[in-house]
């Protein structure tokens, strides 16, 4: 059941004393604020969008949010873990359709909020289908996101097919991770994987990853046919972030670097230097066909290792 209402009404129906409250942010968006013994986190109901996660022992957040991120109805938020669905990147045929699908810019509702036995906080959200969404994608789909905030952050994105006919989706949890300095950061786990380099000629060249991934310029790569964990090595902050996924066969890695970030306008001064996107996804040949009355889940768990 979709539980709708003002932050005050949501507090009454879903709030968990000293653990979960709801507030208004920006231009009237509603944000769930979690603060439990393990971590703090924020989830904007629009887009089912986790915008913050910081384990209690951590000096800095693990999930990055731009200082210039806008919280406005129908607008994407720069940072956090945007939900890209039911397509990734530009729409295959409709140039005027939103990039990365519509899930991240439409209203979602909370369906459940509980405290778990291990003191983690689990919130489940569901995308609210509407005439607006059906005008962009007219399949009988149901999209939910289960967020578990504890010593780790676990996100499970589930697509249900409520109709008789199969449909195809591509998807990503487009997560921005906070680092001390992108120029000193390495990504392990993608060695020898095939990838599409989207910074090259249109359509992108296919190459194979040699060794750990390091960054010296704009990097925009879709690694295909990989189910591997990734580890983000951050010597500047003396930490590693593990990205462990299931139900995902693609990993996208992106930094806009200085010039592109500047043009995008909502990274803030040097914001690009303190983030990198490592996105658990199913895109290109890894797009997912969901049979009639079937479902598919993609999960990712982020953990901090010193
Ligand atoms: O995931 C990488 C990417 O597809 C880049 O090409 C860039 O467009 C990025 O997503 C950000 O997209 P957004 O629509 O959130 O500005």
């Amino acid at each position: 059941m979709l539980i709708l209402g003002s932050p005050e009404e949501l507090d009454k129906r879903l709030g968990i004393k000293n653990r979960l409250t709801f507030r208004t942010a920006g231009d009237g968006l509603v944000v769930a604020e979690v603060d439990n013994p393990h971590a703090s986190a924020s989830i904007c109901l629009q887009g089912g969008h986790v915008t913050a996660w910081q384990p209690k022992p951590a000096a800095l957040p693990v999930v990055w949010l731009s200082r210039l991120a806008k919280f406005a109805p129908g607008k994407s938020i720069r940072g956090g873990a945007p939900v890209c669905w039911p397509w990734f990147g530009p729409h295959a045929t409709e140039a005027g359709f939103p990039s990365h699908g519509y899930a991240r810019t439409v209203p979602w509702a909370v369906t459940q909020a509980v405290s778990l036995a291990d003191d983690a906080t689990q919130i489940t959200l569901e995308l609210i289908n509407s005439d607006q969404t059906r005008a962009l994608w007219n399949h009988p789909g149901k999209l939910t996101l289960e967020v578990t905030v504890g010593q780790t952050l676990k996100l499970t994105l589930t697509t249900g097919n409520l109709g008789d006919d199969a449909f195809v989706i591509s998807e990503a949890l487009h997560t921005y991770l906070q680092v001390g300095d992108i120029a000193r950061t390495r990504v392990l786990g993608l060695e020898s994987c095939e990838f599409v380099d989207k910074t090259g000629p249109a359509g992108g060249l296919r190459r194979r990853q040699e060794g750990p991934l390091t960054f010296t310029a704009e990097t925009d790569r879709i690694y295909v046919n990989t189910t591997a964990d990734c580890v983000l090595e951050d010597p500047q902050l003396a930490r590693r972030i593990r990205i462990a996924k299931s139900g995902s066969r693609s990993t996208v890695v992106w930094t806009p670097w200085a010039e592109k970030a500047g043009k995008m306008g909502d990274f803030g001064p040097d914001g690009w230097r303190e983030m990198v996107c490592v996105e658990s996804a199913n895109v290109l040949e890894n797009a997912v066909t969901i049979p009639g009355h079937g479902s598919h889940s993609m999960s990712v768990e982020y953990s901090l290792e010193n």
Side-chain angles (χ1 to χ4, degrees):
M1 177 181 71
L2 304 183
I3 301 167
L4 305 164
S6 69
E8 294 73 23
E9 289 158 342
L10 291 171
D11 259 344
K12 276 197 202 103
R13 299 190 59 183
L14 291 162
I16 303 171
K17 193 168 169 29
N18 302 328
R19 296 283 171 96
L20 170 64
T21 59
F22 293 83
R23 68 177 174 88
T24 303
D27 297 341
L29 298 188
V30 177
V31 173
E33 295 290 357
V34 175
D35 191 353
N36 65 37
H38 301 301
S40 62
S42 303
I43 305 155
C44 182
L45 266 54
Q46 174 180 278
H49 193 144
V50 174
T51 55
W53 175 60
Q54 184 167 346
K56 288 291 161 70
L60 284 174
V62 173
V63 171
W64 177 84
L65 184 69
S66 170
R67 294 177 183 82
L68 298 188
K70 294 177 184 57
F71 283 69
K75 299 289 182 210
S76 59
I77 298 169
R78 181 65 64 197
V83 175
C84 301
W85 186 93
W87 64 83
F88 179 84
H91 187 275
T93 56
E94 300 289 342
F97 281 17
S99 175
H100 291 329
Y102 57 80
R104 63 177 173 166
T105 53
V106 299
W108 293 47
V110 178
T111 58
Q112 181 176 297
V114 293
S115 254
L116 302 180
D118 65 356
D119 273 335
T121 308
Q122 187 173 82
I123 299 174
T124 306
L125 303 102
E126 182 175 330
L127 185 151
I128 300 172
N129 289 315
S130 64
D131 290 344
Q132 177 201 4
T133 63
R134 281 183 286 271
L136 293 168
W137 193 73
N138 196 18
H139 297 278
K142 174 180 174 184
L143 184 66
T144 62
L145 179 72
E146 180 187 84
V147 181
T148 308
V149 179
Q151 287 185 334
T152 68
L153 173 69
K154 184 170 183 181
L155 307 179
T156 299
L157 187 69
T158 300
T159 301
N161 183 346
L162 308 178
D164 297 332
D165 302 325
F167 57 64
V168 178
I169 61 158
S170 58
E171 60 185 350
L173 287 165
H174 190 301
T175 305
Y176 292 70
L177 296 164
Q178 179 129 12
V179 294
D181 181 352
I182 183 75
R184 297 186 59 202
T185 298
R186 298 198 317 168
V187 178
L188 311 179
L190 296 169
E191 294 79 0
S192 305
C193 288
E194 184 183 15
F195 67 90
V196 176
D197 182 349
K198 289 172 56 190
T199 59
L205 293 175
R206 284 192 177 233
R207 300 190 345 218
R208 202 162 283 280
Q209 179 63 34
E210 292 177 16
L213 176 55
T214 57
F215 304 96
T216 57
E218 178 189 358
T219 305
D220 191 352
R221 298 181 175 186
I222 300 176
Y223 291 84
V224 292
N225 305 319
T226 170
T227 57
D229 286 11
C230 286
V231 172
L232 202 49
E233 272 189 350
D234 181 352
Q236 180 109 350
L237 297 182
R239 68 185 196 181
R240 293 155 50 106
I241 300 171
R242 180 169 296 276
I243 301 123
K245 64 176 190 173
S246 63
S248 159
R249 294 184 51 74
S250 314
T251 295
V252 182
V253 180
W254 177 60
T255 167
W257 213 253
E259 186 183 352
K260 187 153 196 179
K263 286 178 186 161
M264 295 179 114
D266 56 358
F267 273 84
D270 273 355
W272 61 273
R273 194 179 282 280
E274 61 188 19
M275 55 64 64
V276 61
C277 284
V278 179
E279 308 163 31
S280 305
N282 286 299
V283 299
L284 300 177
E285 58 259 52
N286 300 137
V288 180
T289 299
I290 301 175
H293 304 291
S295 71
H296 155 81
S297 288
M298 173 171 73
S299 286
V300 57
E301 186 166 23
Y302 304 97
S303 54
L304 201 48
E305 302 172 351
N306 290 321

